[in-house]
Amino acid sequence: MTDAATAVATAHPNIALVKYWGKQDEELVLPLAGSLSMTLHIYPTTTSVSRRPTAAADTVTMDGLPATEAVARRVVRFLDLIRQRSCCGDHAAVDTRNTVPVGAGLASSASGFAALTLAAATAYGLNLNPRGLSRLARRGSGSAARSVFGGFALWHAPDPDAPDPDTASYAETLAGVRVDAALVAVLLDTGPKPISSREAMRRTVATSPLFPAWLSDTRLDLPRMRAALQAGDLAAAGEIAEDNALGMHATMESADPPIHYLTGQSYRVLEQVRALRAAGGNCWATMDAGPNVKVLCPADQAAHIAEQLTTATGHRTIVARPGPPARLHPHPKPAR
Ligand code: DP6
């Protein structure tokens, strides 16, 4: 075993301001519409991948324990992709460490697959630029394509008629952003997810009568969001983000059978965000496949808004600023 056979990478979660919800290709993980996110400076995932030339199978551990069967299966499928591309059939030992507090409901497949992509691509000697890494991370989990990048990232949907839609679907840094934004995450009590986001997305596309309307709105929201961020107009960005997220949840709630990620607590936080806004506050909500509410606001007002939300709702909050891109650790020791 040489050092070259082991690589360690860290990546951060991201929160979409224009959401990815719905695939045009399940196998290639190609989205129906583009999306735009902010990578967070908190809760990174660090993953080490060590090639094991003599091992008979991959091993996957998460936070020091063997991964669940479902997680291990997804990681092994992803390693299979890497093995195909690298022409190296070695099995690997994968060890992942998350820093998100247990039960906070902010665990992220985006940071996980972005870190795994960078570590595995390096351990297997694939020489990929950020765009190539993003396309590969996408195959693990769509939102991971964006966590390869820091700051604000834009993930392109391919034109379904494009000669090679796989090549056309990657994320990249959104240049020229002129807002100084933060996201305040309000940490609600989270139980187990009622349904995985992958399955929920599939069911929504297949059954929600509201989905086509949301999809066309999202395709308009994306260029508007981009323009708002580049113009330094956080209020416009916040309004688009909140509408886009509420619309996405409406599509899930109108799916058959319906999918409810938001709870009574989520709706109470949403009311508070509206109340703060009515009183002149600059804050707008977004929610993903879980009950937590994340509140977009100017960075210099985030601590105050977090305090107001904690006082009003009794829930813990954490302030996230824009975070860094996925990175490789220099000279990792071979994992054991
Ligand atoms: C609601 O990226 O977890 O967070 O591609 O099936 O792994 P898969 O889905 P995933 O979905 C994220 C959905 C979302 C919105 C977003 O991050 O854009």
Side-chain angles (χ1 to χ4, degrees):
M1 166 79 54
T2 65
D3 272 15
T6 294
V8 182
T10 294
H12 289 67
N14 71 73
I15 299 294
L17 301 179
V18 174
K19 304 292 185 192
Y20 149 54
W21 197 250
K23 298 179 180 65
Q24 54 177 277
D25 187 315
E26 293 275 338
E27 178 60 27
L28 294 175
V29 192
L30 297 172
L32 281 162
S35 56
L36 201 160
S37 60
M38 183 177 115
T39 297
L40 312 184
H41 86 285
I42 54 172
Y43 301 154
T45 300
T46 295
T47 296
S48 90
V49 174
S50 298
R51 281 198 279 118
R52 296 271 193 255
T54 57
D58 297 315
T59 59
V60 185
T61 55
M62 189 165 281
D63 300 322
L65 296 171
T68 61
E69 218 181 294
V71 168
R73 208 176 313 123
R74 218 164 144 179
V75 170
V76 169
R77 269 194 76 195
F78 187 75
L79 290 174
D80 285 342
L81 260 182
I82 302 238
R83 282 187 276 261
Q84 271 168 26
R85 292 187 186 198
S86 77
C87 302
C88 165
D90 289 355
H91 289 291
V94 175
D95 180 44
T96 288
R97 307 274 160 167
N98 291 297
T99 53
V100 56
V102 177
L106 287 177
S108 151
S109 62
S111 56
F113 272 102
L116 176 64
T117 302
L118 182 53
T122 307
Y124 281 81
L126 298 182
N127 193 9
L128 296 176
N129 60 18
R131 183 179 293 192
L133 286 168
S134 171
R135 282 178 47 218
L136 190 54
R138 189 196 81 218
R139 299 289 295 273
S141 186
S143 52
R146 300 184 308 236
S147 271
V148 169
F149 301 93
F152 291 81
L154 175 61
W155 173 22
H156 301 277
D159 179 340
D161 302 325
D164 183 2
D166 175 27
T167 310
S169 189
Y170 55 88
E172 61 185 336
T173 298
L174 179 66
V177 169
R178 288 176 53 217
V179 298
D180 191 8
L183 279 165
V184 177
V186 183
L187 306 178
L188 305 180
D189 305 332
T190 54
K193 264 196 186 194
I195 173 173
S196 73
S197 53
R198 184 154 287 192
E199 182 50 35
M201 210 181 275
R202 207 176 281 141
R203 187 192 297 169
T204 306
V205 175
T207 67
S208 164
L210 302 186
F211 186 74
W214 178 79
L215 186 62
S216 2
D217 284 352
T218 291
R219 290 180 173 142
L220 300 175
D221 285 346
L222 190 67
R224 289 171 59 221
M225 174 63 76
R226 187 181 177 151
L229 293 173
Q230 290 173 331
D233 189 347
L234 191 62
E239 278 167 29
I240 298 165
E242 189 170 304
D243 276 5
N244 187 267
L246 287 169
M248 177 185 74
H249 282 274
T251 67
M252 300 178 198
E253 284 165 10
S254 57
D256 184 15
I259 301 152
H260 304 290
Y261 283 122
L262 303 182
T263 62
Q265 290 184 340
S266 318
Y267 286 106
R268 279 191 286 281
V269 175
L270 284 173
E271 271 164 37
Q272 283 307 320
V273 171
R274 266 179 232 127
L276 288 179
R277 217 157 54 216
N282 295 308
C283 51
W284 301 269
T286 185
M287 302 78 66
D288 294 292
N292 287 317
V293 179
K294 280 79 72 168
V295 181
L296 182 71
C297 62
D300 61 358
Q301 294 171 28
H304 182 56
I305 287 173
E307 203 181 293
Q308 285 177 305
L309 287 170
T310 297
T311 308
T313 66
H315 297 296
R316 276 186 309 139
T317 50
I318 178 151
V319 173
R321 296 186 307 276
R327 71 179 173 89
L328 213 50
H329 294 222
H331 314 303
K333 292 194 184 73
R336 291 152 39 77

PDB file of all heavy atoms in Angstrom, residues 13-34:
ATOM      1  N   PRO A  13     -21.866  20.991   3.172  1.00  0.00           N
ATOM      2  CA  PRO A  13     -23.242  20.900   2.645  1.00  0.00           C
ATOM      3  C   PRO A  13     -23.612  22.165   1.868  1.00  0.00           C
ATOM      4  O   PRO A  13     -22.923  23.188   1.986  1.00  0.00           O
ATOM      5  CB  PRO A  13     -24.116  20.813   3.904  1.00  0.00           C
ATOM      6  CG  PRO A  13     -23.226  20.821   5.078  1.00  0.00           C
ATOM      7  CD  PRO A  13     -21.825  21.116   4.633  1.00  0.00           C
ATOM      8  N   ASN A  14     -24.657  22.093   1.094  1.00  0.00           N
ATOM      9  CA  ASN A  14     -25.176  23.298   0.444  1.00  0.00           C
ATOM     10  C   ASN A  14     -26.689  23.338   0.578  1.00  0.00           C
ATOM     11  O   ASN A  14     -27.329  22.302   0.761  1.00  0.00           O
ATOM     12  CB  ASN A  14     -24.749  23.352  -1.033  1.00  0.00           C
ATOM     13  CG  ASN A  14     -25.458  22.331  -1.902  1.00  0.00           C
ATOM     14  OD1 ASN A  14     -26.654  22.484  -2.201  1.00  0.00           O
ATOM     15  ND2 ASN A  14     -24.760  21.271  -2.298  1.00  0.00           N
ATOM     16  N   ILE A  15     -27.219  24.541   0.527  1.00  0.00           N
ATOM     17  CA  ILE A  15     -28.683  24.724   0.580  1.00  0.00           C
ATOM     18  C   ILE A  15     -29.089  25.426  -0.706  1.00  0.00           C
ATOM     19  O   ILE A  15     -28.542  26.487  -1.048  1.00  0.00           O
ATOM     20  CB  ILE A  15     -29.101  25.608   1.789  1.00  0.00           C
ATOM     21  CG1 ILE A  15     -28.687  24.960   3.124  1.00  0.00           C
ATOM     22  CG2 ILE A  15     -30.603  25.896   1.771  1.00  0.00           C
ATOM     23  CD1 ILE A  15     -29.388  23.663   3.463  1.00  0.00           C
ATOM     24  N   ALA A  16     -30.063  24.834  -1.403  1.00  0.00           N
ATOM     25  CA  ALA A  16     -30.492  25.425  -2.679  1.00  0.00           C
ATOM     26  C   ALA A  16     -31.445  26.590  -2.441  1.00  0.00           C
ATOM     27  O   ALA A  16     -32.351  26.508  -1.609  1.00  0.00           O
ATOM     28  CB  ALA A  16     -31.161  24.363  -3.538  1.00  0.00           C
ATOM     29  N   LEU A  17     -31.224  27.659  -3.183  1.00  0.00           N
ATOM     30  CA  LEU A  17     -32.135  28.814  -3.155  1.00  0.00           C
ATOM     31  C   LEU A  17     -33.137  28.694  -4.307  1.00  0.00           C
ATOM     32  O   LEU A  17     -34.244  29.206  -4.242  1.00  0.00           O
ATOM     33  CB  LEU A  17     -31.336  30.119  -3.274  1.00  0.00           C
ATOM     34  CG  LEU A  17     -30.287  30.326  -2.169  1.00  0.00           C
ATOM     35  CD1 LEU A  17     -29.529  31.638  -2.380  1.00  0.00           C
ATOM     36  CD2 LEU A  17     -30.922  30.294  -0.782  1.00  0.00           C
ATOM     37  N   VAL A  18     -32.706  28.015  -5.374  1.00  0.00           N
ATOM     38  CA  VAL A  18     -33.640  27.536  -6.405  1.00  0.00           C
ATOM     39  C   VAL A  18     -33.424  26.032  -6.419  1.00  0.00           C
ATOM     40  O   VAL A  18     -32.313  25.553  -6.632  1.00  0.00           O
ATOM     41  CB  VAL A  18     -33.344  28.152  -7.789  1.00  0.00           C
ATOM     42  CG1 VAL A  18     -34.228  27.529  -8.859  1.00  0.00           C
ATOM     43  CG2 VAL A  18     -33.547  29.659  -7.745  1.00  0.00           C
ATOM     44  N   LYS A  19     -34.508  25.288  -6.149  1.00  0.00           N
ATOM     45  CA  LYS A  19     -34.361  23.866  -5.812  1.00  0.00           C
ATOM     46  C   LYS A  19     -34.239  22.951  -7.025  1.00  0.00           C
ATOM     47  O   LYS A  19     -34.828  23.208  -8.081  1.00  0.00           O
ATOM     48  CB  LYS A  19     -35.576  23.386  -5.009  1.00  0.00           C
ATOM     49  CG  LYS A  19     -35.882  24.166  -3.750  1.00  0.00           C
ATOM     50  CD  LYS A  19     -34.848  23.984  -2.675  1.00  0.00           C
ATOM     51  CE  LYS A  19     -35.253  24.692  -1.394  1.00  0.00           C
ATOM     52  NZ  LYS A  19     -34.134  24.767  -0.430  1.00  0.00           N
ATOM     53  N   TYR A  20     -33.536  21.867  -6.766  1.00  0.00           N
ATOM     54  CA  TYR A  20     -33.521  20.700  -7.668  1.00  0.00           C
ATOM     55  C   TYR A  20     -34.577  19.749  -7.149  1.00  0.00           C
ATOM     56  O   TYR A  20     -34.486  19.268  -6.014  1.00  0.00           O
ATOM     57  CB  TYR A  20     -32.120  20.088  -7.589  1.00  0.00           C
ATOM     58  CG  TYR A  20     -31.993  18.591  -7.781  1.00  0.00           C
ATOM     59  CD1 TYR A  20     -32.514  17.954  -8.913  1.00  0.00           C
ATOM     60  CD2 TYR A  20     -31.322  17.818  -6.837  1.00  0.00           C
ATOM     61  CE1 TYR A  20     -32.351  16.575  -9.087  1.00  0.00           C
ATOM     62  CE2 TYR A  20     -31.151  16.448  -7.006  1.00  0.00           C
ATOM     63  CZ  TYR A  20     -31.675  15.831  -8.130  1.00  0.00           C
ATOM     64  OH  TYR A  20     -31.521  14.492  -8.300  1.00  0.00           O
ATOM     65  N   TRP A  21     -35.593  19.492  -7.939  1.00  0.00           N
ATOM     66  CA  TRP A  21     -36.628  18.535  -7.517  1.00  0.00           C
ATOM     67  C   TRP A  21     -37.202  17.901  -8.773  1.00  0.00           C
ATOM     68  O   TRP A  21     -38.022  18.489  -9.456  1.00  0.00           O
ATOM     69  CB  TRP A  21     -37.721  19.249  -6.682  1.00  0.00           C
ATOM     70  CG  TRP A  21     -38.580  18.300  -5.898  1.00  0.00           C
ATOM     71  CD1 TRP A  21     -39.894  18.000  -6.132  1.00  0.00           C
ATOM     72  CD2 TRP A  21     -38.180  17.513  -4.771  1.00  0.00           C
ATOM     73  NE1 TRP A  21     -40.332  17.076  -5.219  1.00  0.00           N
ATOM     74  CE2 TRP A  21     -39.302  16.766  -4.364  1.00  0.00           C
ATOM     75  CE3 TRP A  21     -36.980  17.349  -4.065  1.00  0.00           C
ATOM     76  CZ2 TRP A  21     -39.263  15.872  -3.293  1.00  0.00           C
ATOM     77  CZ3 TRP A  21     -36.946  16.473  -3.000  1.00  0.00           C
ATOM     78  CH2 TRP A  21     -38.075  15.748  -2.624  1.00  0.00           C
ATOM     79  N   GLY A  22     -36.719  16.742  -9.126  1.00  0.00           N
ATOM     80  CA  GLY A  22     -37.208  16.048 -10.315  1.00  0.00           C
ATOM     81  C   GLY A  22     -36.079  15.762 -11.283  1.00  0.00           C
ATOM     82  O   GLY A  22     -35.277  16.644 -11.587  1.00  0.00           O
ATOM     83  N   LYS A  23     -36.047  14.494 -11.743  1.00  0.00           N
ATOM     84  CA  LYS A  23     -34.983  14.080 -12.670  1.00  0.00           C
ATOM     85  C   LYS A  23     -35.557  13.799 -14.058  1.00  0.00           C
ATOM     86  O   LYS A  23     -36.676  13.305 -14.168  1.00  0.00           O
ATOM     87  CB  LYS A  23     -34.323  12.783 -12.167  1.00  0.00           C
ATOM     88  CG  LYS A  23     -33.637  12.895 -10.814  1.00  0.00           C
ATOM     89  CD  LYS A  23     -33.046  11.536 -10.426  1.00  0.00           C
ATOM     90  CE  LYS A  23     -32.338  11.553  -9.086  1.00  0.00           C
ATOM     91  NZ  LYS A  23     -33.192  11.818  -7.927  1.00  0.00           N
ATOM     92  N   GLN A  24     -34.756  14.053 -15.070  1.00  0.00           N
ATOM     93  CA  GLN A  24     -35.127  13.594 -16.423  1.00  0.00           C
ATOM     94  C   GLN A  24     -34.476  12.250 -16.707  1.00  0.00           C
ATOM     95  O   GLN A  24     -34.874  11.551 -17.636  1.00  0.00           O
ATOM     96  CB  GLN A  24     -34.765  14.627 -17.491  1.00  0.00           C
ATOM     97  CG  GLN A  24     -33.317  15.072 -17.463  1.00  0.00           C
ATOM     98  CD  GLN A  24     -33.003  16.045 -18.588  1.00  0.00           C
ATOM     99  OE1 GLN A  24     -32.740  15.602 -19.693  1.00  0.00           O
ATOM    100  NE2 GLN A  24     -33.036  17.331 -18.320  1.00  0.00           N
ATOM    101  N   ASP A  25     -33.455  11.872 -15.947  1.00  0.00           N
ATOM    102  CA  ASP A  25     -32.807  10.563 -16.120  1.00  0.00           C
ATOM    103  C   ASP A  25     -32.334  10.076 -14.750  1.00  0.00           C
ATOM    104  O   ASP A  25     -31.481  10.698 -14.125  1.00  0.00           O
ATOM    105  CB  ASP A  25     -31.616  10.715 -17.079  1.00  0.00           C
ATOM    106  CG  ASP A  25     -30.989   9.376 -17.438  1.00  0.00           C
ATOM    107  OD1 ASP A  25     -30.769   8.544 -16.531  1.00  0.00           O
ATOM    108  OD2 ASP A  25     -30.709   9.148 -18.634  1.00  0.00           O
ATOM    109  N   GLU A  26     -32.958   8.974 -14.309  1.00  0.00           N
ATOM    110  CA  GLU A  26     -32.668   8.450 -12.960  1.00  0.00           C
ATOM    111  C   GLU A  26     -31.264   7.868 -12.879  1.00  0.00           C
ATOM    112  O   GLU A  26     -30.572   8.012 -11.877  1.00  0.00           O
ATOM    113  CB  GLU A  26     -33.655   7.319 -12.616  1.00  0.00           C
ATOM    114  CG  GLU A  26     -35.085   7.759 -12.460  1.00  0.00           C
ATOM    115  CD  GLU A  26     -35.413   8.269 -11.068  1.00  0.00           C
ATOM    116  OE1 GLU A  26     -34.697   7.913 -10.102  1.00  0.00           O
ATOM    117  OE2 GLU A  26     -36.380   9.038 -10.947  1.00  0.00           O
ATOM    118  N   GLU A  27     -30.850   7.179 -13.940  1.00  0.00           N
ATOM    119  CA  GLU A  27     -29.562   6.489 -13.910  1.00  0.00           C
ATOM    120  C   GLU A  27     -28.407   7.503 -13.915  1.00  0.00           C
ATOM    121  O   GLU A  27     -27.474   7.401 -13.136  1.00  0.00           O
ATOM    122  CB  GLU A  27     -29.495   5.562 -15.144  1.00  0.00           C
ATOM    123  CG  GLU A  27     -28.205   4.790 -15.319  1.00  0.00           C
ATOM    124  CD  GLU A  27     -27.910   3.863 -14.142  1.00  0.00           C
ATOM    125  OE1 GLU A  27     -28.861   3.412 -13.462  1.00  0.00           O
ATOM    126  OE2 GLU A  27     -26.708   3.613 -13.893  1.00  0.00           O
ATOM    127  N   LEU A  28     -28.528   8.493 -14.797  1.00  0.00           N
ATOM    128  CA  LEU A  28     -27.454   9.492 -14.916  1.00  0.00           C
ATOM    129  C   LEU A  28     -27.626  10.661 -13.936  1.00  0.00           C
ATOM    130  O   LEU A  28     -26.768  11.528 -13.853  1.00  0.00           O
ATOM    131  CB  LEU A  28     -27.385  10.044 -16.342  1.00  0.00           C
ATOM    132  CG  LEU A  28     -26.961   9.045 -17.416  1.00  0.00           C
ATOM    133  CD1 LEU A  28     -27.056   9.681 -18.801  1.00  0.00           C
ATOM    134  CD2 LEU A  28     -25.525   8.559 -17.170  1.00  0.00           C
ATOM    135  N   VAL A  29     -28.732  10.654 -13.202  1.00  0.00           N
ATOM    136  CA  VAL A  29     -29.065  11.749 -12.272  1.00  0.00           C
ATOM    137  C   VAL A  29     -28.981  13.105 -12.993  1.00  0.00           C
ATOM    138  O   VAL A  29     -28.190  13.987 -12.670  1.00  0.00           O
ATOM    139  CB  VAL A  29     -28.189  11.729 -10.998  1.00  0.00           C
ATOM    140  CG1 VAL A  29     -28.756  12.697  -9.938  1.00  0.00           C
ATOM    141  CG2 VAL A  29     -28.097  10.342 -10.403  1.00  0.00           C
ATOM    142  N   LEU A  30     -29.828  13.205 -13.997  1.00  0.00           N
ATOM    143  CA  LEU A  30     -29.924  14.466 -14.754  1.00  0.00           C
ATOM    144  C   LEU A  30     -31.189  15.195 -14.313  1.00  0.00           C
ATOM    145  O   LEU A  30     -32.281  14.619 -14.338  1.00  0.00           O
ATOM    146  CB  LEU A  30     -29.980  14.186 -16.251  1.00  0.00           C
ATOM    147  CG  LEU A  30     -28.738  13.500 -16.826  1.00  0.00           C
ATOM    148  CD1 LEU A  30     -28.967  13.098 -18.280  1.00  0.00           C
ATOM    149  CD2 LEU A  30     -27.519  14.409 -16.700  1.00  0.00           C
ATOM    150  N   PRO A  31     -31.068  16.458 -13.897  1.00  0.00           N
ATOM    151  CA  PRO A  31     -32.230  17.177 -13.369  1.00  0.00           C
ATOM    152  C   PRO A  31     -33.129  17.707 -14.480  1.00  0.00           C
ATOM    153  O   PRO A  31     -32.673  17.952 -15.595  1.00  0.00           O
ATOM    154  CB  PRO A  31     -31.582  18.331 -12.607  1.00  0.00           C
ATOM    155  CG  PRO A  31     -30.333  18.618 -13.379  1.00  0.00           C
ATOM    156  CD  PRO A  31     -29.841  17.283 -13.893  1.00  0.00           C
ATOM    157  N   LEU A  32     -34.402  17.903 -14.128  1.00  0.00           N
ATOM    158  CA  LEU A  32     -35.330  18.487 -15.095  1.00  0.00           C
ATOM    159  C   LEU A  32     -35.108  19.990 -15.238  1.00  0.00           C
ATOM    160  O   LEU A  32     -35.450  20.573 -16.261  1.00  0.00           O
ATOM    161  CB  LEU A  32     -36.774  18.230 -14.646  1.00  0.00           C
ATOM    162  CG  LEU A  32     -37.290  16.827 -14.956  1.00  0.00           C
ATOM    163  CD1 LEU A  32     -38.516  16.505 -14.120  1.00  0.00           C
ATOM    164  CD2 LEU A  32     -37.604  16.690 -16.446  1.00  0.00           C
ATOM    165  N   ALA A  33     -34.567  20.601 -14.189  1.00  0.00           N
ATOM    166  CA  ALA A  33     -34.309  22.050 -14.236  1.00  0.00           C
ATOM    167  C   ALA A  33     -33.008  22.344 -13.515  1.00  0.00           C
ATOM    168  O   ALA A  33     -32.576  21.572 -12.654  1.00  0.00           O
ATOM    169  CB  ALA A  33     -35.453  22.810 -13.577  1.00  0.00           C
ATOM    170  N   GLY A  34     -32.412  23.477 -13.843  1.00  0.00           N
ATOM    171  CA  GLY A  34     -31.192  23.898 -13.156  1.00  0.00           C
ATOM    172  C   GLY A  34     -31.510  24.354 -11.733  1.00  0.00           C
ATOM    173  O   GLY A  34     -32.669  24.636 -11.397  1.00  0.00           O
TER     174      GLY A  34
END
